[in-house]
Structures are given as structure tokens and as C-alpha cells.
Amino acid sequence: MIRRGGNKFSAKKTPCLHGHTHDSAREAKRCNELHLLLRARKIVNLQIQPQFWFHINGKVVKHANGRRCGYRPDFLYSEYFPPDGDTRAVAEDSKGVRTEAYVLRAALFRALYPHIELREV
């Protein structure tokens, strides 16, 4: 079977209602849901595809070809807990297929950023 362009998991770039283009319809739908939660003040500080670089003992982790290793979740936000106003940082990824590379990056992310909860939706 010969692949002719496109995503290997059949995901299609999809815009959300807020003008962002996402890698899949699932991710665009989740962006719309998170914007509703933002308007309802259930979450704050919503970021789309923030980048986290991996550092161990103060050194940047790099691939053999020199590229930095990192992780880019689909969303980052803080859950808001009134009335005391506590927040909890949450990184979220819309996953259809859990690849070996994703599982490794997620494990590194959880170890290096323990103050941020990683969720898959």
C-alpha cells in the first residue's frame, strides 16, 4: 500500500471557532470546549500548543542530530477553584493514537514537569 500525502493517521487540519488551525477535528472540538470553560471562568490562562524543552541536570537534552528534545501538548491552562482561587496547571493532549514516541515524551514530561498535570482526552 502506497501512502499519498496527508497524515498517516488520517487526521485532517481543522479550524476551530476561534481562528486556530488544529491538526485534527478532535483537537479543534476540544479547543472550542476549552474556550467555553474559559468564558465560564472554570479555567484561566489558556495557551495553544506551548513548547516545553527537556533539560536534565541543567543540560539541554538533544537528539543525535543536534535537535533539542521537547514536548508540545495541544493545550496548557490552569484550572480555577473558587472561592479560595487556587489553580492547578494542566497540559492536555487530544490523542487518537498513542505512539511509542508519544509515550516516551509524555513520561519525560511528567518526570521533568511534575507540577503540571498531563491529561489525554
Side-chain angles (χ1 to χ4, degrees):
M1 183 170 138
I2 299 173
R3 221 171 51 98
R4 292 200 167 97
N7 186 291
K8 66 181 174 181
F9 300 114
S10 300
K12 293 184 177 33
K13 297 261 185 198
T14 307
C16 69
L17 298 174
H18 304 279
H20 311 120
T21 300
H22 297 278
D23 292 334
S24 68
R26 175 191 310 241
E27 189 178 321
K29 180 182 174 193
R30 184 60 181 155
C31 186
N32 292 332
E33 293 168 354
L34 288 173
H35 274 87
L36 288 174
L37 291 173
L38 188 64
R39 287 185 63 196
R41 297 189 176 137
K42 301 287 184 191
I43 65 171
V44 293
N45 305 326
L46 177 62
Q47 296 178 42
I48 311 297
Q49 292 194 335
Q51 179 68 58
F52 293 90
W53 298 110
F54 297 152
H55 296 81
I56 297 177
N57 293 334
K59 292 189 174 198
V60 177
V61 179
K62 294 185 178 183
H63 292 271
N65 64 7
R67 280 185 39 212
R68 293 182 292 177
C69 295
Y71 176 62
R72 183 179 301 192
D74 296 330
F75 308 102
L76 178 68
Y77 57 87
S78 297
E79 285 184 322
Y80 182 65
F81 301 104
D84 36 343
D86 289 341
T87 60
R88 172 180 48 212
V90 177
E92 198 172 274
D93 225 324
S94 303
K95 280 286 158 220
V97 177
R98 287 175 49 105
T99 63
E100 284 185 41
Y102 167 75
V103 171
L104 179 59
R105 279 193 308 272
L108 282 168
F109 178 83
R110 285 184 173 110
L112 296 173
Y113 296 92
H115 59 285
I116 302 174
E117 179 185 344
L118 179 58
R119 291 184 189 161
E120 296 173 31
V121 293

